[in-house]
Amino acid sequence: MKLPRLTDPTRYAGLYVVDFGEQTAVGYTAREVEVLLDHEKYRDCRVYKIHRAQPDGTLELKGVDGRRFQMEEGMFFHRGDEARARADFEDLRRLAKEAVPPCRAKLQLTRTEGAEPGFVVALIYPAEYSEQISRWLLDADYAGGDYVEGGVSHVTDFYEKRCETLAREQIWGSEDGVSRSSEEVLATTHVAVQR
């Protein structure tokens, strides 16, 4: 894989490299990679996340399984008390307005039938953002829930449980303002440096 020369390479940390086979492109957001992988022509492309980028142009890459872009992951903050669960929900809503999260997310407050504790605040987001969401919550010193569960399998469990939704909120992340439209992403695959 041959990478193009980058001007100011450090700004590419956290973005993605897509190897199309015949050529490689640098600088996609996770949402843009998702668009590519959804397209039949690009479904088998190899994807790498840029973890570190040095001023000399050296990039530390980590391969990412394309299926990860199709999954949701979540953090589930359980409470036995409705008032405390509502406070957790409101704290996350407020946090998302004050310190924009890295990606879009669904926030729900639910009452679960037959479960102890009976209330869950669910924060569900694209799985590829697991590390960034964790960092966002840690940086904010968020400490909701009597106990917390997380992961891809817990999202499936959450959707399958019978629960009553008491409140919900769509949260928009910082990447939502910088990711390009599907049409633009698909029209510029021949460009080696995407940003």
Side-chain angles (χ1 to χ4, degrees), residues 120-168:
V120 177
V121 174
L123 181 65
I124 300 172
Y125 46 86
E128 182 51 25
Y129 286 95
S130 178
E131 292 174 20
Q132 294 95 321
I133 288 287
S134 294
R135 172 59 40 207
W136 175 67
L137 292 169
L138 285 170
D139 287 348
D141 201 26
Y142 181 75
D146 296 327
Y147 72 94
V148 181
E149 295 179 304
V152 173
S153 64
H154 290 288
V155 173
T156 304
D157 294 344
F158 177 76
Y159 287 146
E160 290 175 354
K161 285 181 183 174
R162 290 196 288 160
C163 40
E164 175 188 359
T165 301
L166 303 176
R168 73 176 63 210

